[in-house]
Amino acid sequence: MSDAPHILVVDDHKEIRESVKRFLEKNGMRAGTAKDAQDAEVKLAIGNYDLMVLDVMMPGESGLSLCQRLSAERVLPIILLTALGDDTDRIVGLEIGADDYLAKPFNPRELLARIKAVLRRTERQEKLSGVFVGKRLRFAHLVLDSDSRVLADECGNETRLTSSDFKLLIVLLERARVVLSREQLLDLTAGRSSGPLDRTIDNQISRLRRKIEPDILQPKIIATVRNGGYCLSADVEVLG
């Protein structure tokens, strides 16, 4: 049981978090609970968790705010619990680093399936990006420290990347000068397919460009390929 995935369930409704905890434990996982964002940070500080199930609507700090902070500070897969039909929370959540979402009310079996899928995807992404683990990478005028997820430019100015920005940049670095469609990028970064009006990748590319392009109005590092997608137009050098 000690090797089983450890899940932190964060929800202000005691009945929900306790019932989810019991269901996960019944299905071979370890589970802890937290009643709000502050309690969640306490639990994260004293425990080693593999994934967080996080309610968006909570008193005090919202789930979206906590998700954004955690995505910037650590690599922890997060599944958001959103209000039924609330597309805004779903879209914003995915853009700031959440790995998946589930609308309330939900079937516990579907939540379990999504947890397993995110854990499999996270493990696969770690293996795929293993070549860059612990490496410093130079491209264009920037150096990326893959351990700290910090970008440094030629002047020594540093920018810490969020979890979602880091995932996207690693995918592009691994496939430098290869044109990737929006569908491919969404699959590689989030393990899901896009809908006809899905702007997740476009928004993530825009946010990443603001951190790496000298001129955001004329981006040259991440090029837009007409009717194709996006491409990292720079060579990548592993510094060690």
Side-chain angles (χ1 to χ4, degrees):
M1 187 69 178
S2 61
D3 293 331
H6 199 185
I7 313 301
L8 180 61
V9 182
V10 186
D11 198 301
D12 60 307
H13 293 283
K14 183 177 180 179
E15 296 79 5
I16 293 177
R17 64 177 183 265
E18 292 298 333
S19 63
V20 170
K21 179 179 185 293
R22 289 193 299 270
F23 183 82
L24 294 178
E25 290 176 340
K26 183 179 177 181
N27 285 273
M29 294 187 176
R30 294 177 295 151
T33 63
K35 62 183 180 181
D36 54 28
Q38 183 177 3
D39 190 21
E41 294 206 85
V42 172
K43 300 296 174 57
L44 289 173
I46 62 177
N48 185 25
Y49 291 92
D50 299 294
L51 182 144
M52 175 186 289
V53 177
L54 176 61
D55 186 28
V56 168
M57 296 297 295
M58 296 188 296
E61 184 178 9
S62 72
L64 288 178
S65 174
L66 178 61
C67 177
Q68 185 173 30
R69 287 199 296 106
L70 291 178
S71 295
E73 297 169 359
R74 61 164 69 200
V75 179
L76 178 68
I78 296 175
I79 296 178
L80 291 177
L81 301 179
T82 68
L84 183 63
D86 195 335
D87 290 340
T88 300
D89 284 348
R90 172 178 62 83
I91 294 170
V92 170
L94 292 172
E95 289 179 348
I96 63 177
D99 295 86
D100 202 351
Y101 70 93
L102 190 60
K104 287 183 172 183
F106 57 87
N107 187 319
R109 293 179 60 185
E110 182 177 1
L111 175 60
L112 178 63
R114 288 176 181 265
I115 289 173
K116 290 180 177 180
V118 170
L119 291 175
R120 285 195 302 269
R121 188 163 71 235
T122 302
E123 182 180 3
R124 184 169 67 249
Q125 288 172 345
E126 289 176 350
K127 290 179 179 178
L128 286 173
S129 61
V131 66
F132 287 156
V133 171
K135 302 295 184 181
R136 294 172 65 247
L137 312 168
R138 176 184 289 136
F139 64 102
H141 64 293
L142 298 163
V143 173
L144 171 68
D145 186 320
S146 63
D147 275 349
S148 64
R149 298 188 293 174
V150 170
L151 274 174
D153 64 17
E154 296 168 320
C155 298
N157 300 311
E158 295 186 345
T159 302
R160 183 175 297 276
L161 298 177
T162 66
S163 178
S164 56
D165 287 342
F166 178 73
K167 287 180 184 178
L168 178 57
L169 181 56
I170 285 293
V171 165
L172 292 169
L173 290 172
E174 289 176 337
R175 300 159 182 82
R177 300 195 181 278
V178 174
V179 178
L180 298 169
S181 69
R182 291 168 177 80
E183 291 75 16
Q184 289 173 316
L185 286 170
L186 195 57
D187 180 56
L188 289 165
T189 58
R192 64 183 181 87
S193 58
S194 62
L197 300 178
D198 197 325
R199 301 284 296 177
T200 300
I201 289 299
D202 297 298
N203 292 333
Q204 288 183 347
I205 289 287
S206 295
R207 187 171 61 244
L208 184 56
R209 277 174 168 165
R210 288 195 290 271
K211 297 178 180 180
I212 70 174
E213 296 283 357
D215 184 354
I216 190 63
L217 298 179
Q218 296 182 333
K220 295 182 178 180
I221 300 176
I222 301 177
T224 301
V225 181
R226 186 177 178 86
N227 298 323
Y230 297 102
C231 174
L232 185 83
S233 300
D235 295 323
V236 180
E237 177 186 0
V238 179
L239 300 179

